[in-house]
Amino acid sequence: MSTRYPFTAVVGMDDLRLALLLNAVSPAVGGVLVRGEKGTAKSTAVRALADLLPEVAVVAGCRFSCDPAAPDPECPDGPHESGPGTARAARMVELPVGASEDRLVGALDIERALGEGVKSFEPGLLADAHRGILYVDEVNLLHDHLIDLLLDAAAMGSSYVEREGVSVRHAARFLLVGTMNPEEGELRPQLLDRFGLTVEVAASREPEQRVEVVRRRLAYDDDPAGFAARWADDEGALRQRIVAARELLPSVGLGDAVLLQIAATCAAFEVDGMRADIVMARTATALAAWAGRTEVTSEDVRQAALLALPHRRRRNPFDAPGLDQDKLDETLEQFKNEDDDPDPGPEGPGGGGGGGVPPQGDSPEDPAESPESPDAPESSDASEGSGSMEPPASPAPSGPGERAAVKAAEPFRTKMLSVPGLGEGAAGRRSRARTDHGRTTGSRRPQGALTKLHLAATVQAAAPHQRARGRSGRGLVVRRDDLRQATREGREGNLVLFVVDASGSMAARQRMSAVKGAVLSLLLDAYQRRDKVGLITFRGKDAELALPPTSSVDAAAARLESLPTGGRTPLAAGLLKAHDVLRVERLRDPSRRPLLVVVTDGRATGGPEPVALGARAARLHAGEGTASVVVDCESGMVRLGLAGELARELGGTAVTLDELRADSIAGLVKDATGTSRRAA
């Protein structure tokens, strides 16, 4: 096994390290979600935590890591007798993004269950992670149904597998840590709420700290074992502090005054539900134990709020995470306990304060004060969670006819736009597709391992052969050739590529504001339906890929906000750019079907024969069967109907801005196109 980078050698990132340590002290806090830009050592810090966890005693031979002092009475490998057991290091199990449901929760051997009547269960990653750490890198890219299973197990402390009348339950208590890059897409608010704490990380802008990061990383790469040995004493001290805090935790008191502060804080920030109150209480208790105290203080409540509330205030992907610290301080002061001890308690290896983390310095022999304090207010980068997500500067108007960017109108709920036919893309909520989850529509012979048994079809296939197979008892004689895999239909996510006209004909401020509001509404719909999105704009002389296809709809919204208008209308250039983007995306992800959304009034100007060129470019998409929708932005008493003509050339459907609203006349848009398949 390779030597991990030491936890105490991580430079900066005090909030991240504190959140991880608090969960190590009290796993009931509910895990950590780490959000941050790429290259900020998120994974390094998480993996390093595993070496700090104390050893666990397990029942010898138990695949589910039962505690010998209190074995699980429902353990599939049980019943176990009480005994000393064996000690082993706490595990850190990594869940890959492409994992299947069976790999996560475990799988029943269906063939043995039907043929032999034997309940044979192969444990999954949830069983492996019991009493350890379950780490999910890029958790925002994990399929929704896997995230639901994962978070349900983390909340209940157990995992259930139900299949074809056979049930298996086993304990699954673990420290859940997820990392994600917001540029690649957001988690749904319902899933964000299931993580106990969240931390925003960003690379330091201090040259001295960046130098120290590079110095330590190079030293580790040159000699991992030697580098780890230099930090062994600090690692040992921190490990002992975790053990001491765990032992002190049951003795920590949580008075009524502190509970009132917690409840008032959650109410002041209008947090949904009661989970935030519970998480804050557990976090504040862990903070007190970490600082060596038996009483929770207002400072513990403040630190707990900074870790537990920011992600719970995010209602949609366009809300910036963060917390108004002035409002937080006012609320805490209003409900302050007069008996609060101003002295937060004895200083441990990381100092006192509202928790504390290990010291940071140039070397373990000469520790120095960390440039960042865990109790200091979050920096603007961290609190906004933006990092590289900041919108680009608005391009300056390049001519007398161009105008600066205007603010988008309020978003609204849009009609359902979908791709016709039956796809096989990534799980989502837009178009019909063959999926692993959904309603059963038929059966087929399994290709590879059987995962979803179609029981009726299997019995039907085996029934005619029972006499020939010598059946004598009540049981059904089932062979491999009889097994049938269930085929299911659900919904997939699509690639929604927006092509937005930003030319002079769209430049009227009220009109462009409405257009941006419509696109913003469609982006919100794409977020809810788990789509990838891309954004192309065209104006002046050319078209620009403002945002390559991504799962981050808030990045698309940021680009949209900074979009100026003006100049000619190179419609053909916009459609050709879209054709190039879709060609590349078909090679990258051939199973994800595209939906082209062209937002324009249909005009085409600039260059020779702009209208004919636009029609030819549209027919390229129609010839490849690309589903398309034209959002007609033409307004006024006199309408030329150019957007409708463009939709006919694309083989798609045209809708006006008013018809795009879900509360307008129903039935106008059921499929993105009814003719694109016939045109292909």
Side-chain angles (χ1 to χ4, degrees):
M1 181 178 176
S2 60
T3 303
R4 289 194 181 101
Y5 192 92
F7 189 86
T8 49
V10 175
V11 179
M13 297 198 300
D14 295 338
D15 286 338
L16 169 58
R17 293 183 294 130
L18 178 60
L20 292 173
L21 290 170
L22 292 177
N23 274 271
V25 171
S26 176
V29 166
V32 186
L33 175 64
V34 188
R35 296 164 45 93
E37 58 196 17
K38 52 187 176 292
T40 48
K42 301 186 296 291
S43 300
T44 298
V46 174
R47 293 188 175 101
L49 179 68
D51 290 335
L52 296 177
L53 298 183
E55 289 187 336
V56 295
V58 298
V59 174
C62 177
R63 297 174 298 167
F64 300 88
S65 302
C66 279
D67 185 350
D72 182 3
E74 299 182 53
C75 176
D77 284 355
H80 302 300
E81 296 183 0
S82 299
T86 60
R88 63 160 175 79
R91 293 173 179 160
M92 193 194 78
V93 177
E94 295 194 38
L95 174 64
V97 170
S100 65
E101 179 182 342
D102 288 345
R103 184 72 185 99
L104 176 64
V105 301
L108 294 171
D109 190 331
I110 300 298
E111 296 179 49
R112 293 192 66 191
L114 287 177
E116 305 174 28
V118 176
K119 185 171 70 175
S120 177
F121 180 72
E122 185 66 28
L125 295 177
L126 292 179
D128 292 342
H130 180 46
R131 304 175 69 196
I133 300 174
L134 182 59
Y135 172 46
V136 188
D137 194 13
E138 307 292 356
V139 64
N140 52 324
L141 302 183
L142 203 63
H143 286 173
D144 281 356
H145 74 280
L146 292 182
I147 298 177
D148 289 332
L149 290 170
L150 181 65
L151 295 176
D152 283 343
M156 296 186 297
S158 58
S159 174
Y160 293 85
V161 180
E162 304 275 351
R163 186 166 297 170
E164 282 72 48
V166 182
S167 301
V168 174
R169 175 230 166 253
H170 64 83
R173 291 182 293 275
F174 46 81
L175 195 168
L176 176 63
V177 183
T179 56
M180 60 175 284
N181 182 352
E183 291 179 346
E184 297 169 338
E186 287 287 352
L187 282 171
R188 288 182 284 138
Q190 297 90 333
L191 299 178
L192 283 171
D193 182 57
R194 301 293 288 274
F195 282 93
L197 309 179
T198 188
V199 178
E200 301 281 342
V201 296
S204 173
R205 301 299 185 256
E206 296 293 333
E208 294 81 2
Q209 195 173 70
R210 296 175 74 98
V211 167
E212 186 59 27
V213 170
V214 175
R215 180 184 293 123
R216 293 187 187 183
R217 186 70 209 191
L218 293 178
Y220 170 78
D221 291 341
D222 290 342
D223 182 11
F227 183 82
R230 290 177 54 202
W231 294 88
D233 291 343
D234 288 339
E235 293 280 290
L238 193 57
R239 192 177 296 110
Q240 292 175 6
R241 187 176 177 188
I242 292 174
V243 173
R246 283 186 173 186
E247 293 174 350
L248 182 62
L249 186 65
S251 304
V252 176
L254 194 65
D256 290 342
V258 170
L259 285 173
L260 182 60
Q261 277 190 320
I262 291 172
T265 301
C266 292
F269 285 100
E270 301 179 354
V271 177
D272 294 335
M274 295 298 298
R275 185 176 284 118
D277 303 62
I278 296 171
V279 170
M280 274 189 64
R282 290 171 174 168
T283 304
T285 304
L287 279 163
W290 179 245
R293 290 182 272 101
T294 57
E295 291 294 332
V296 176
T297 67
S298 292
E299 186 58 33
D300 295 327
V301 176
R302 183 182 191 278
Q303 183 67 62
L306 292 174
L307 294 172
L309 295 188
H311 61 302
R312 292 186 165 87
R313 300 191 65 244
R314 189 181 177 97
R315 298 294 195 273
N316 65 61
F318 310 130
D319 292 339
L323 214 61
D324 184 341
Q325 296 193 33
D326 291 337
K327 182 178 180 180
L328 173 61
D329 291 337
E330 290 175 4
T331 303
L332 294 177
E333 183 64 28
Q334 181 181 356
F335 293 90
K336 184 177 181 180
N337 181 8
E338 298 298 336
D339 297 329
D340 256 358
D341 184 0
D343 180 7
E347 292 192 3
V357 293
Q360 296 294 317
D362 292 341
S363 68
E365 292 81 11
D366 183 25
E369 181 71 16
S370 171
E372 298 177 14
S373 166
D375 297 324
E378 296 177 2
S379 67
S380 59
D381 286 344
S383 64
E384 289 300 322
S386 56
S388 59
M389 296 293 296
E390 294 180 359
S394 299
S398 59
E402 297 199 358
R403 300 186 182 185
V406 298
K407 186 177 179 60
E410 284 297 316
F412 52 84
R413 190 166 63 91
T414 66
K415 284 187 176 295
M416 174 66 171
L417 305 179
S418 63
V419 178
L422 195 63
E424 296 181 346
R429 298 180 176 182
R430 185 172 296 279
S431 305
R432 294 174 54 225
R434 299 182 186 91
T435 59
D436 292 334
H437 297 268
R439 63 185 182 91
T440 301
T441 58
S443 65
R444 60 175 173 81
R445 292 182 181 272
Q447 299 171 347
L450 179 70
T451 56
K452 302 291 182 183
L453 178 72
H454 195 297
L455 185 58
T458 298
V459 172
Q460 187 177 8
H465 309 291
Q466 297 306 294
R467 181 174 297 179
R469 293 173 183 174
R471 173 187 171 186
S472 57
R474 298 177 61 185
L476 191 68
V477 181
V478 179
R479 295 180 180 173
R480 171 71 185 177
D481 290 343
D482 301 327
L483 299 177
R484 295 294 183 269
Q485 175 88 17
T487 57
R488 300 187 176 187
E489 182 179 311
R491 293 281 173 177
E492 67 177 0
N494 298 110
L495 166 59
V496 182
L497 183 60
F498 294 94
V499 182
V500 180
D501 184 350
S503 64
S505 62
M506 306 282 285
R509 285 185 174 271
Q510 185 176 1
R511 183 177 182 185
M512 195 59 197
S513 177
V515 168
K516 285 188 175 183
V519 178
L520 202 62
S521 303
L522 290 167
L523 284 171
L524 182 58
D525 181 68
Y527 163 76
Q528 294 168 340
R529 301 190 187 281
R530 316 305 290 166
D531 295 316
K532 290 178 68 175
V533 297
L535 178 64
I536 292 173
T537 64
F538 59 94
R539 68 186 181 102
K541 297 181 180 180
D542 205 355
E544 175 191 5
L545 179 60
L547 183 72
T550 175
S551 297
S552 179
V553 296
D554 46 350
R559 303 303 192 275
L560 184 70
E561 281 292 329
S562 62
L563 177 66
T565 56
R568 294 184 179 275
T569 311
L571 175 61
L575 295 175
L576 290 175
K577 175 68 75 173
H579 185 267
D580 291 341
V581 170
L582 293 180
R583 177 178 54 81
V584 173
E585 288 301 312
R586 285 189 181 99
L587 296 175
R588 289 178 177 171
D589 190 357
S591 64
R592 188 180 288 270
R593 297 186 295 163
L595 173 62
L596 182 66
V597 179
V598 185
V599 185
T600 181
D601 57 9
R603 290 180 172 85
T605 60
E609 300 182 347
V611 176
L613 287 175
R616 289 173 56 187
R619 286 194 290 270
L620 283 176
H621 292 282
E624 294 181 356
T626 302
S628 60
V629 173
V630 177
V631 179
D632 185 358
C633 303
E634 194 174 26
S635 59
M637 296 296 294
V638 179
R639 297 178 180 242
L640 302 179
L642 299 176
E645 294 180 11
L646 175 62
R648 285 189 288 274
E649 295 288 359
L650 286 166
T653 302
V655 295
T656 65
L657 289 175
D658 290 337
E659 292 169 347
L660 189 62
R661 293 178 178 270
D663 55 1
S664 65
I665 300 173
L668 286 176
V669 183
K670 292 185 178 179
D671 281 327
T673 173
T675 58
S676 62
R677 292 300 176 191
R678 293 194 295 272

Short mmCIF file of all heavy atoms in Angstrom, two decimals, residues 30-55:
data_model
loop_
_atom_site.label_atom_id
_atom_site.label_comp_id
_atom_site.label_asym_id
_atom_site.label_seq_id
_atom_site.Cartn_x
_atom_site.Cartn_y
_atom_site.Cartn_z
N GLY A 30 -22.86 13.79 10.26
CA GLY A 30 -23.51 13.53 8.98
C GLY A 30 -22.65 13.70 7.75
O GLY A 30 -23.16 13.76 6.64
N GLY A 31 -21.32 13.77 7.92
CA GLY A 31 -20.46 13.82 6.76
C GLY A 31 -20.14 15.23 6.29
O GLY A 31 -20.63 16.22 6.84
N VAL A 32 -19.33 15.30 5.23
CA VAL A 32 -18.84 16.57 4.71
C VAL A 32 -18.96 16.57 3.20
O VAL A 32 -18.59 15.60 2.54
CB VAL A 32 -17.37 16.82 5.10
CG1 VAL A 32 -16.93 18.22 4.66
CG2 VAL A 32 -17.15 16.64 6.59
N LEU A 33 -19.45 17.67 2.66
CA LEU A 33 -19.40 17.91 1.21
C LEU A 33 -18.37 19.00 0.98
O LEU A 33 -18.48 20.10 1.52
CB LEU A 33 -20.76 18.36 0.68
CG LEU A 33 -20.80 18.76 -0.80
CD1 LEU A 33 -20.48 17.56 -1.68
CD2 LEU A 33 -22.15 19.35 -1.18
N VAL A 34 -17.36 18.69 0.17
CA VAL A 34 -16.27 19.62 -0.11
C VAL A 34 -16.43 20.15 -1.52
O VAL A 34 -16.36 19.40 -2.48
CB VAL A 34 -14.89 18.93 0.05
CG1 VAL A 34 -13.77 19.96 -0.05
CG2 VAL A 34 -14.81 18.18 1.37
N ARG A 35 -16.68 21.43 -1.64
CA ARG A 35 -16.87 22.09 -2.93
C ARG A 35 -15.65 22.95 -3.22
O ARG A 35 -15.18 23.69 -2.35
CB ARG A 35 -18.11 22.99 -2.90
CG ARG A 35 -19.42 22.30 -2.70
CD ARG A 35 -20.52 23.29 -2.31
NE ARG A 35 -20.48 24.50 -3.13
CZ ARG A 35 -21.18 24.68 -4.24
NH1 ARG A 35 -21.99 23.74 -4.64
NH2 ARG A 35 -21.09 25.81 -4.92
N GLY A 36 -15.15 22.87 -4.44
CA GLY A 36 -14.02 23.72 -4.76
C GLY A 36 -13.51 23.48 -6.16
O GLY A 36 -13.81 22.48 -6.81
N GLU A 37 -12.71 24.43 -6.62
CA GLU A 37 -12.13 24.36 -7.95
C GLU A 37 -11.13 23.22 -8.02
O GLU A 37 -10.66 22.70 -7.00
CB GLU A 37 -11.47 25.70 -8.27
CG GLU A 37 -10.40 26.08 -7.26
CD GLU A 37 -10.00 27.53 -7.35
OE1 GLU A 37 -10.74 28.32 -7.94
OE2 GLU A 37 -8.94 27.88 -6.80
N LYS A 38 -10.78 22.83 -9.21
CA LYS A 38 -9.85 21.72 -9.41
C LYS A 38 -8.47 22.10 -8.87
O LYS A 38 -8.07 23.25 -8.85
CB LYS A 38 -9.76 21.38 -10.90
CG LYS A 38 -9.47 22.57 -11.80
CD LYS A 38 -9.57 22.21 -13.26
CE LYS A 38 -9.37 23.42 -14.17
NZ LYS A 38 -10.47 24.39 -14.07
N GLY A 39 -7.72 21.06 -8.44
CA GLY A 39 -6.35 21.27 -8.00
C GLY A 39 -6.20 21.91 -6.65
O GLY A 39 -5.19 22.56 -6.38
N THR A 40 -7.17 21.74 -5.74
CA THR A 40 -7.08 22.37 -4.42
C THR A 40 -6.87 21.35 -3.31
O THR A 40 -7.12 21.63 -2.15
CB THR A 40 -8.36 23.18 -4.14
OG1 THR A 40 -9.51 22.38 -4.43
CG2 THR A 40 -8.40 24.44 -4.98
N ALA A 41 -6.42 20.15 -3.66
CA ALA A 41 -6.06 19.11 -2.68
C ALA A 41 -7.26 18.61 -1.88
O ALA A 41 -7.11 18.16 -0.74
CB ALA A 41 -4.96 19.61 -1.74
N LYS A 42 -8.45 18.66 -2.46
CA LYS A 42 -9.63 18.14 -1.77
C LYS A 42 -9.45 16.65 -1.47
O LYS A 42 -9.61 16.20 -0.34
CB LYS A 42 -10.88 18.35 -2.62
CG LYS A 42 -11.17 19.80 -2.97
CD LYS A 42 -12.51 19.95 -3.69
CE LYS A 42 -12.54 19.24 -5.03
NZ LYS A 42 -11.67 19.90 -6.02
N SER A 43 -9.10 15.88 -2.51
CA SER A 43 -8.97 14.44 -2.35
C SER A 43 -7.80 14.09 -1.44
O SER A 43 -7.87 13.14 -0.66
CB SER A 43 -8.76 13.78 -3.73
OG SER A 43 -9.86 14.05 -4.58
N THR A 44 -6.71 14.85 -1.52
CA THR A 44 -5.54 14.58 -0.67
C THR A 44 -5.90 14.67 0.80
O THR A 44 -5.53 13.80 1.60
CB THR A 44 -4.42 15.58 -1.00
OG1 THR A 44 -4.03 15.42 -2.37
CG2 THR A 44 -3.21 15.35 -0.10
N ALA A 45 -6.63 15.71 1.17
CA ALA A 45 -7.00 15.89 2.57
C ALA A 45 -7.94 14.78 3.04
O ALA A 45 -7.80 14.27 4.17
CB ALA A 45 -7.65 17.25 2.77
N VAL A 46 -8.88 14.38 2.21
CA VAL A 46 -9.84 13.35 2.60
C VAL A 46 -9.13 12.01 2.79
O VAL A 46 -9.35 11.31 3.79
CB VAL A 46 -10.95 13.22 1.55
CG1 VAL A 46 -11.86 12.05 1.88
CG2 VAL A 46 -11.76 14.51 1.48
N ARG A 47 -8.28 11.65 1.84
CA ARG A 47 -7.58 10.37 1.95
C ARG A 47 -6.64 10.34 3.15
O ARG A 47 -6.44 9.30 3.77
CB ARG A 47 -6.81 10.08 0.66
CG ARG A 47 -7.72 9.85 -0.55
CD ARG A 47 -6.92 9.39 -1.77
NE ARG A 47 -7.80 9.06 -2.88
CZ ARG A 47 -8.04 9.86 -3.91
NH1 ARG A 47 -7.45 11.05 -3.97
NH2 ARG A 47 -8.86 9.49 -4.88
N ALA A 48 -6.07 11.49 3.47
CA ALA A 48 -5.14 11.55 4.61
C ALA A 48 -5.86 11.33 5.93
O ALA A 48 -5.24 10.89 6.91
CB ALA A 48 -4.41 12.90 4.62
N LEU A 49 -7.15 11.64 6.00
CA LEU A 49 -7.88 11.50 7.25
C LEU A 49 -7.95 10.04 7.69
O LEU A 49 -8.00 9.77 8.90
CB LEU A 49 -9.30 12.06 7.08
CG LEU A 49 -10.22 11.96 8.29
CD1 LEU A 49 -9.72 12.88 9.41
CD2 LEU A 49 -11.65 12.32 7.91
N ALA A 50 -7.97 9.10 6.76
CA ALA A 50 -8.13 7.69 7.11
C ALA A 50 -7.05 7.21 8.07
O ALA A 50 -7.31 6.38 8.95
CB ALA A 50 -8.13 6.84 5.84
N ASP A 51 -5.82 7.71 7.92
CA ASP A 51 -4.72 7.26 8.78
C ASP A 51 -4.85 7.79 10.20
O ASP A 51 -4.12 7.34 11.09
CB ASP A 51 -3.38 7.69 8.18
CG ASP A 51 -3.04 6.92 6.92
OD1 ASP A 51 -3.56 5.80 6.77
OD2 ASP A 51 -2.28 7.44 6.08
N LEU A 52 -5.72 8.77 10.43
CA LEU A 52 -5.88 9.33 11.77
C LEU A 52 -6.94 8.61 12.58
O LEU A 52 -6.99 8.76 13.80
CB LEU A 52 -6.26 10.82 11.67
CG LEU A 52 -5.23 11.75 11.04
CD1 LEU A 52 -5.80 13.16 10.96
CD2 LEU A 52 -3.93 11.74 11.83
N LEU A 53 -7.80 7.85 11.93
CA LEU A 53 -8.88 7.19 12.65
C LEU A 53 -8.33 6.04 13.50
O LEU A 53 -7.46 5.28 13.05
CB LEU A 53 -9.93 6.67 11.68
CG LEU A 53 -10.65 7.72 10.83
CD1 LEU A 53 -11.72 7.06 9.98
CD2 LEU A 53 -11.27 8.81 11.70
N PRO A 54 -8.83 5.87 14.71
CA PRO A 54 -8.38 4.77 15.56
C PRO A 54 -8.74 3.41 14.94
O PRO A 54 -9.67 3.30 14.13
CB PRO A 54 -9.13 5.00 16.87
CG PRO A 54 -9.59 6.42 16.82
CD PRO A 54 -9.80 6.75 15.38
N GLU A 55 -8.01 2.39 15.35
CA GLU A 55 -8.32 1.04 14.89
C GLU A 55 -9.70 0.61 15.40
O GLU A 55 -10.19 1.11 16.42
CB GLU A 55 -7.27 0.04 15.38
CG GLU A 55 -5.92 0.17 14.69
CD GLU A 55 -4.98 -0.95 15.08
OE1 GLU A 55 -5.17 -1.52 16.19
OE2 GLU A 55 -4.06 -1.26 14.30
#
